[in-house]
Amino acid sequence: MNPLVVYYSFSGNTRALAEDIALILDCELRELVPERPYSFSYNTAVKEARHEIERGYCPPQLAGGEGVGEFDPIFIGSPNWLKNMAPPVLSFLRTVDLAGKTIVPFCTHGGGGFGGMLETFTRECPGSTVVEGFAAGAECSFDELEAWLEKLRV
């Protein structure tokens, strides 16, 4: 097992979850960084994201979109934006060859769980095995995360 954790985070919540997963698994961590960052204003960023999601836009990446080589499984994390994954994560799924890999989705949310993200992972990763993910709300604890990873055993 040579896991990799890949994530996009706007406010830092998904970053914290990704860092905890990488810490527990003692594995490499990779942040997805779009060429054009979202606005620092939350309301403006929501408008920008809504526009990209509605168009199915995949922003070019400055960092994080490198190939995954010998890594497996690949943990992929995103905030829940309007019941969808953040567009930088969709870009990653569409530009990196994930065939034959085990994909483990995770997300942060304010009450919406995965929304439609699991369906998107399954659709965008047809040559991969997408396994049960982890949706972390505000009350999620480190112990819950550890228990999920122990149960997962990928």
Side-chain angles (χ1 to χ4, degrees), residues 9 13 18 23 25 46 49 60 65-66 69 86 90 93 99-100 127-129 132 137:
S9 186
N13 293 334
L23 176 71
L25 297 177
V46 168
E66 300 83 14
L90 185 58
L93 297 180
S128 305
T129 301
E132 181 182 346

Side-chain angles (χ1 to χ4, degrees), residues 49-108:
R50 180 183 311 277
H51 183 67
E52 289 181 357
I53 290 168
E54 287 172 351
R55 292 184 3 225
Y57 178 71
C58 293
Q61 306 288 319
L62 275 180
E66 300 83 14
V68 294
E70 298 301 314
F71 292 108
D72 197 28
I74 314 294
F75 289 76
I76 305 174
S78 176
N80 175 335
W81 279 3
L82 309 165
K83 300 181 183 177
N84 293 283
M85 62 183 59
V89 176
L90 185 58
S91 291
F92 177 78
L93 297 180
R94 289 185 176 172
T95 58
V96 174
D97 182 8
L98 299 170
K101 304 292 184 183
T102 299
I103 306 301
V104 186
F106 65 94
C107 78
T108 54

